[in-house]
Amino acid sequence: MAQHLPKPRTTKLPQEVVAFDGLVVSVATAATRGVEKSKHVEHGGLAGLTSKVSVQQLCAELGNEGLRQAAIDADRTPPSDGTLRRWAQIGRIPHADVVERAQRRAAIERLGGIDAVAARIGRSRSAVSRYRSGETKELRADAGKKLENIKAQDIMKRAGVLRPDGTPKRAIIRVKGGVTVRNGADEGYDYRVRTLDFANSDTPFSCDESRELAAALVGDDHARVVALLERHATLCYPENKGFDTYSEQFGFHFDHIDSVHIDWI
């Protein structure tokens, strides 16, 4: 009996692009949003893997004086105790510039403070202080890269992604979402919702792939997370064998992602 395959879509889903393996790769916006949503699931294995923490956590880490200083750094009137309580209660700071200063201040404190960070990235105390306050938008390229790496390592350690010796744990991943599978030059033939258990792929995620995935999650680079999942599904997942290469559009493509669950072992 002939196999009846869905007709190719006539409209293209909203896409984001990401530089990946020397290529410019397109991924569905609905897939990146699904990854972001999954970060807020308490027991999904992604919680804590983000460079930005909640307002409640900022309030707890910085206290009233730290939040006031973040407002001053943003050239705003220092908030009263009542205003600070309201921010904590509603879980929102209504000024993006204050949030950005507070996130910087909290990140520096988590890494041991200005002096510790200055020593680790090879910059002066005043340079780190100017960065923390927002007076300097970005550190110089080499120092900025060092700081991002240190922050990522700290976040991954706190989230339980790294072992005590600093080596990465392996990601055991389950993803539920709508997928398209392409075959050679065909536009596409398989549109349905599937749950993919990547532990069952011919080659499970390696420790290096797992670190790359965790780093993308920490950097809130959700498009890169989707690209990593699509590359692995294209090349290694048993149902999709036959896609030996990939280009700007992987053989396996997530139209949308409903949930991502990761166990780090």
Side-chain angles (χ1 to χ4, degrees):
M1 183 170 62
Q3 184 179 11
H4 298 285
L5 302 176
K7 294 180 180 180
R9 288 194 176 94
T10 56
T11 58
K12 190 174 183 179
L13 297 170
Q15 303 280 308
E16 296 182 36
V17 296
V18 59
F20 192 82
D21 285 1
L23 303 169
V24 177
V25 175
S26 299
V27 298
T29 301
T32 64
R33 289 174 179 166
V35 173
E36 183 177 10
K37 181 182 70 174
S38 295
K39 283 186 172 184
H40 302 291
V41 178
E42 184 177 355
H43 301 294
L46 281 71
L49 285 171
T50 176
S51 62
K52 300 185 186 304
V53 302
S54 68
V55 169
Q56 286 91 343
Q57 186 174 338
L58 286 176
C59 293
E61 291 183 355
L62 294 178
N64 286 355
E65 290 311 309
L67 288 172
R68 283 197 183 94
Q69 188 57 56
I72 292 170
D73 290 340
D75 293 324
R76 292 187 177 275
T77 302
S80 66
D81 287 346
T83 296
L84 292 170
R85 282 195 299 272
R86 185 165 64 254
W87 288 357
Q89 288 168 356
I90 65 175
R92 188 174 72 88
I93 297 174
H95 311 293
D97 49 358
V98 177
V99 174
E100 196 265 342
R101 273 29 172 230
Q103 292 281 2
R104 288 192 181 202
R105 183 170 288 273
I108 295 297
E109 291 306 311
R110 282 186 222 111
L111 296 174
I114 288 177
D115 291 330
V117 171
R120 293 176 72 178
I121 68 173
R123 284 292 180 270
S124 67
R125 189 181 195 280
S126 61
V128 177
S129 179
R130 290 195 299 272
Y131 168 80
R132 184 184 68 171
S133 69
E135 182 182 343
T136 301
K137 186 174 182 180
E138 298 292 344
L139 292 165
R140 291 181 182 177
D142 57 338
K145 186 65 174 177
K146 287 180 182 178
L147 179 58
E148 289 306 311
N149 288 339
I150 292 169
K151 285 166 61 178
Q153 288 289 109
D154 180 68
I155 292 169
M156 285 190 278
K157 183 178 179 181
R158 290 171 183 267
V161 172
L162 300 180
R163 297 184 177 89
D165 64 358
T167 58
K169 295 180 180 179
R170 191 160 57 88
I172 304 300
I173 307 163
R174 292 183 298 281
V175 183
K176 181 180 179 182
V179 303
T180 300
V181 178
R182 290 169 172 80
N183 186 8
D186 292 344
E187 178 67 20
Y189 66 83
D190 182 7
Y191 306 122
R192 57 190 169 112
V193 173
R194 282 200 244 171
T195 298
L196 275 73
D197 185 347
F198 282 86
N200 291 329
S201 62
D202 287 5
T203 307
F205 265 65
S206 67
C207 287
D208 286 342
E209 282 182 298
S210 299
R211 181 190 287 274
E212 190 176 6
L213 182 72
L217 288 165
V218 166
D220 300 315
D221 191 348
H222 304 130
R224 187 170 186 83
V225 172
V226 175
L228 283 162
L229 295 172
E230 290 183 353
R231 179 183 68 182
H232 195 90
T234 295
L235 301 178
C236 302
Y237 205 76
E239 287 186 55
N240 309 325
K241 296 303 287 184
F243 303 111
D244 296 324
T245 61
Y246 57 90
S247 59
E248 69 280 355
Q249 188 67 68
F250 294 117
F252 182 96
H253 182 68
F254 281 108
D255 296 334
H256 64 86
I257 287 178
D258 298 324
S259 63
V260 180
H261 184 98
I262 302 179
D263 292 315
W264 303 92
I265 63 171

